[in-house]
Structures are given as structure tokens and as C-alpha cells.
Amino acid sequence: MDWNRVEGNWKQFKGSAKEKWGKLTDDDLQLIEGRREQLEGRLQERYGKAKDQVRQDVDDWLKSLH
């Protein structure tokens, strides 16, 4: 799946993102609006991970989506 589908259908993918990353708040998910850079930035803030690790986590999540 490519990121454009996630961005275009963010409302459908928000629940999956929240399941994967429970520290994201509803407000975070609202502000992200499907933008990958915003998601990665919020994950760095909430989990204290390096940018490269967050990018890999998001890639893995993207691959798991059907």
C-alpha cells in the first residue's frame, strides 16, 4: 500500500494507527490528518525514538495494512 491511500482515507486508518501506537491521542490523530511527516513527528515525541526507528516503524505498519 502506498502512503497516498492512507492519506486519502485517514479516517479509516486512524483506528489502526491508534491500536499500533496507543500513546497517540485523538487530538494527535486529528492533527496528523494522514500526513506521514506529522505522524512520524508525533511518534518521536510520544515514544522518544530516533527518526530512523520511527520511519521504520511506520514503514512496517504501512506494510501490514490491507
Side-chain angles (χ1 to χ4, degrees), residues 9-39:
N9 297 296
W10 182 241
K11 288 182 182 181
Q12 294 173 349
F13 293 109
K14 279 195 306 191
S16 176
K18 185 147 184 164
E19 282 180 31
K20 172 104 174 122
W21 297 292
K23 290 184 182 180
L24 291 178
T25 66
D26 289 336
D27 287 342
D28 289 337
L29 294 168
Q30 188 77 25
L31 291 170
I32 290 166
E33 293 181 338
R35 294 174 300 201
R36 184 177 177 133
E37 297 81 22
Q38 290 281 40
L39 174 60

Side-chain angles (χ1 to χ4, degrees), residues 27-59:
D27 287 342
D28 289 337
L29 294 168
Q30 188 77 25
L31 291 170
I32 290 166
E33 293 181 338
R35 294 174 300 201
R36 184 177 177 133
E37 297 81 22
Q38 290 281 40
L39 174 60
E40 290 177 1
R42 291 288 169 166
L43 291 173
Q44 280 183 275
E45 287 176 21
R46 297 286 184 247
Y47 288 90
K49 291 184 176 181
K51 188 172 189 165
D52 290 346
Q53 181 59 54
V54 167
R55 179 164 291 149
Q56 184 62 51
D57 289 348
V58 172
D59 284 343

